[in-house]
Amino acid sequence: MADLDNKDQAEMDPADMEDVEEVEEEETGEDNSKARQLTMQMMQNPQILAALQERLDGLVGSPSGYMESLPKVVKRRVNALKNLQVKCAHIEAKFYEEVHELERKYAALYQPLFDKRSEIVRAAYEPTDEECEWKQDEEEELTVSKQEEMKEKAKVEEEKKDEEKEDPKGIPEFWLTVFKNVDLLSEMLQEHDEPILKHLQDIKVKFSDAGQPMSFTLEFHFEPNDFFTNTVLTKTYKMRSEPDESDPFSFDGPEIMGCTGCAIDWVKGKNVTLKTIKKKQKHKGRGTVRTVTKTVPNDSFFNFFSPPDVPEGGEMDEDSEAVLAADFEIGHFIRERIVPRAVLYFTGEAIEDDDDDYDEEGEEADDEEGEEEADEENDPDYEPKV
């Protein structure tokens, strides 16, 4: 048969050979398209993706075989380098302990400024005209006469507003506005939380004392309200700055080991972390129906003060781990960003700065989306959505 095939090919007209080549190319292109579609379908299958991820996770950290190929005398020296690396990790841990001490020192210097901020927000102190003077960039480009004209106009408008409504005290809803402006925090807020957070007057960060285990506490100060009798709600985060003996190379600075909240003394009927639902139950024998009232957990920002417990063994289910991971991120963000720069989150300026960090990544995502759309349009089986 092979000889006959060769003979037939030899007797074929060159033009016919071109036709055969074109058909083969078309068939190959069709095969590639089908393969691409099959691959896309496979990658959309969660079970296949999970299996691939498990396989990839197994490869992470697996030896490449290079170390095994080294002479024994070289392996011996590499072990000496690893011992030096462990010592570096312990020195790095001490470095972060001293950083924590510096944070404690400078927290004391910041606090008088934060206290004055709190006094202005809650109307305990009225800033002077000099303290309120703020020169914006746009004003620098204006002439002196134009500036005076604008100031006079603004003054007249303010006087009109003062006549129309009574003068508000301090900066109303300061912290609630901060929370609503920050995605990480606004996602936790429910509508029933907002009337309570209108009474939030200040958030403070307190660091552990010298010589004590590393930790920090967030203090939420509230004015008297109709929801709970606490004046301060607290959340304490315990940290550790030392390499794990079983895996010293994983050390990458202080890590949060656990957190504790506080009990909220709710006024009767005002606990927004619980809700009452009514369920109908039918009697199996008699067929009668009764209504049962049941209290169940409710979504609320104030669940933040009741984090899941971390067991001594450190083993938790996936849901608890996810809750704690999100909790640690929020606590760290409040400490590092919200408290020091609260006014900029109130005005939205800090949010713009945060968004700038994601511009480049966003552009890349747009490009990828555009490439996906282009691939779909080039797909012969692609049907555009109506």
Side-chain angles (χ1 to χ4, degrees):
M1 287 293 294
D3 292 337
L4 287 173
D5 290 341
N6 292 337
K7 183 178 179 182
D8 290 341
Q9 289 179 5
E11 293 176 355
M12 272 189 181
D13 186 77
D16 293 336
M17 286 294 289
E18 290 179 3
D19 292 340
V20 171
E21 289 174 0
E22 288 178 4
V23 171
E24 287 178 351
E25 287 177 1
E26 289 176 4
E27 290 177 350
T28 303
E30 186 177 349
D31 290 343
N32 288 339
S33 176
K34 289 180 178 178
R36 185 168 62 250
Q37 290 177 13
L38 181 60
T39 302
M40 289 175 65
Q41 291 173 2
M42 289 174 63
M43 294 308 291
Q44 290 172 359
N45 187 318
Q47 294 179 338
I48 294 176
L49 286 174
L52 286 172
Q53 185 63 50
E54 185 177 354
R55 182 64 183 266
L56 289 172
D57 290 341
L59 293 174
V60 174
S62 60
S64 63
Y66 175 71
M67 280 296 298
E68 288 73 9
S69 68
L70 293 176
K72 186 175 180 179
V73 65
V74 176
K75 289 181 183 178
R76 179 172 171 274
R77 293 165 189 152
V78 170
N79 288 337
L81 296 184
K82 290 171 73 174
N83 285 327
L84 292 175
Q85 190 62 43
V86 171
K87 292 180 179 179
C88 286
H90 283 281
I91 292 174
E92 186 179 6
K94 293 296 181 184
F95 165 78
Y96 283 112
E97 287 179 6
E98 292 194 21
V99 168
H100 185 69
E101 290 302 311
L102 274 177
E103 284 185 309
R104 290 180 60 257
K105 173 185 174 182
Y106 278 89
L109 300 178
Y110 286 127
Q111 197 54 53
L113 303 178
F114 295 156
D115 288 342
K116 178 165 277 192
R117 177 180 70 188
S118 175
E119 291 174 355
I120 294 173
V121 167
R122 55 191 173 87
Y125 172 77
E126 184 61 35
T128 65
D129 291 342
E130 184 179 356
E131 289 174 320
C132 294
E133 186 68 28
W134 179 260
K135 190 174 183 180
Q136 298 183 4
D137 293 340
E138 292 82 4
E139 289 182 351
E140 295 176 0
E141 301 174 3
L142 300 175
T143 61
V144 175
S145 58
K146 188 69 175 175
Q147 288 182 30
E148 293 299 327
E149 181 184 337
M150 290 180 65
K151 285 181 181 178
E152 188 62 32
K153 186 177 179 182
K155 185 178 179 182
V156 171
E157 299 224 353
E158 283 181 8
E159 289 175 354
K160 285 183 181 178
K161 287 181 181 178
D162 290 342
E163 292 174 3
E164 293 173 1
K165 61 180 181 180
E166 62 178 76
D167 184 26
K169 302 299 181 184
I171 303 180
E173 302 181 15
F174 177 81
W175 288 102
L176 173 59
T177 303
V178 170
F179 274 50
K180 293 171 77 172
N181 281 347
V182 178
D183 289 343
L184 189 64
L185 302 178
S186 65
E187 290 173 358
M188 303 168 62
L189 289 185
Q190 306 298 320
E191 189 175 347
H192 48 253
D193 293 325
E194 295 189 15
I196 309 176
L197 287 172
K198 288 180 180 180
H199 298 284
L200 179 58
Q201 294 185 314
D202 197 11
I203 303 177
K204 296 181 179 180
V205 180
K206 296 293 180 66
F207 292 93
S208 55
D209 295 332
Q212 296 298 315
M214 191 182 295
S215 69
F216 68 90
T217 299
L218 300 176
E219 295 182 349
F220 293 73
H221 292 254
F222 287 83
E223 64 182 352
N225 59 80
D226 298 330
F227 299 93
F228 46 72
T229 58
N230 310 66
T231 56
V232 182
L233 300 182
T234 61
K235 185 74 170 287
T236 300
Y237 291 87
K238 299 174 183 177
M239 299 186 293
R240 181 180 69 178
S241 182
E242 59 184 41
D244 187 342
E245 291 183 5
S246 62
D247 185 17
F249 303 132
S250 65
F251 181 75
D252 191 26
E255 57 180 330
I256 296 175
M257 301 303 296
C259 59
T260 54
C262 68
I264 301 179
D265 301 320
W266 295 99
V267 173
K268 187 176 180 180
K270 298 289 188 178
N271 188 347
V272 295
T273 65
L274 298 174
K275 65 180 177 180
T276 302
I277 60 173
K278 293 182 178 180
K279 298 182 71 175
K280 290 184 177 181
Q281 294 180 342
K282 187 176 181 180
H283 193 279
K284 293 180 180 179
R286 295 191 296 269
T288 55
V289 177
R290 68 174 183 176
T291 301
V292 178
T293 301
K294 190 177 181 181
T295 301
V296 296
N298 192 25
D299 289 336
S300 169
F301 164 75
F302 291 91
N303 290 321
F304 178 69
F305 298 97
S306 302
D309 294 328
V310 178
E312 292 183 4
E315 294 183 3
M316 293 180 292
D317 57 67
E318 290 185 4
D319 290 342
S320 296
E321 283 187 355
V323 170
L324 277 178
D327 189 292
F328 293 169
E329 181 183 1
I330 293 163
H332 185 73
F333 189 79
I334 292 174
R335 167 198 162 186
E336 290 286 326
R337 304 296 293 266
I338 298 298
V339 172
R341 310 178 73 198
V343 65
L344 301 182
Y345 284 100
F346 177 82
T347 62
E349 293 165 83
I351 300 165
E352 294 172 4
D353 292 341
D354 290 344
D355 290 342
D356 289 343
D357 296 337
Y358 294 92
D359 283 347
E360 186 174 346
E361 184 176 342
E363 289 172 3
E364 290 176 1
D366 292 343
D367 291 343
E368 289 173 3
E369 185 177 348
E371 289 173 6
E372 288 176 2
E373 291 175 359
D375 288 341
E376 289 176 343
E377 291 172 359
N378 294 331
D379 188 340
D381 296 327
Y382 168 68
E383 295 182 3
K385 295 179 182 178
V386 180

